[in-house]
Amino acid sequence: MKEIDKIVGLLEHEALERKVAAAIVLGELGAKGPEVIGGLVKLLGSGVSVLQRHALDALARIGAKKSLPAIFPLLTAGAAEVREAASRAVASVGEDALPIMKER
């Protein structure tokens, strides 16, 4: 678990490349937990499309249900790749996303 904590820590590194790499690795490992989800959700609010896209892809792989409120606004993002990644993240939740979508 200590290695996952180190990777999660990289989500807050000042270097863009390390943040992207951390998001990719967390998604590939299927790492879960509140610190992982929280770190990835924080990237969604960065306004940097490359970070948003990789965070969305990671969330889609590990389970995006709890992150849906942070994902929904990105469905209308200016960058096409962010909109597409947000759509994939919502779709990864499946039917469980429907009640949350109806609420919004």
Side-chain angles (χ1 to χ4, degrees):
M1 189 63 166
K2 192 168 180 103
E3 290 79 19
I4 296 296
D5 293 338
K6 288 180 185 179
I7 298 168
V8 170
L10 291 174
L11 293 173
E12 296 193 25
H13 197 277
E14 62 187 39
L16 178 70
E17 296 85 1
R18 290 191 185 197
K19 291 178 183 181
V20 169
I24 292 169
V25 170
L26 290 168
E28 289 294 320
L29 292 175
K32 296 184 179 185
E35 66 284 345
V36 174
I37 302 296
L40 292 169
V41 167
K42 190 171 182 182
L43 293 182
L44 298 182
S46 69
V48 179
S49 60
V50 68
L51 290 176
Q52 292 171 321
R53 181 172 52 88
H54 287 292
L56 287 162
D57 287 343
L59 287 166
R61 294 182 81 115
I62 64 176
K65 184 175 180 180
K66 292 181 181 178
S67 307
L68 286 175
I71 295 170
F72 285 141
L74 296 176
L75 291 169
T76 59
E81 65 270 12
V82 174
R83 289 192 310 271
E84 292 165 6
S87 293
R88 288 191 302 272
V90 171
S92 74
V93 176
E95 290 184 14
D96 289 342
L98 292 176
I100 299 167
M101 291 176 76
K102 286 179 182 178
E103 245 179 57
R104 292 188 64 85

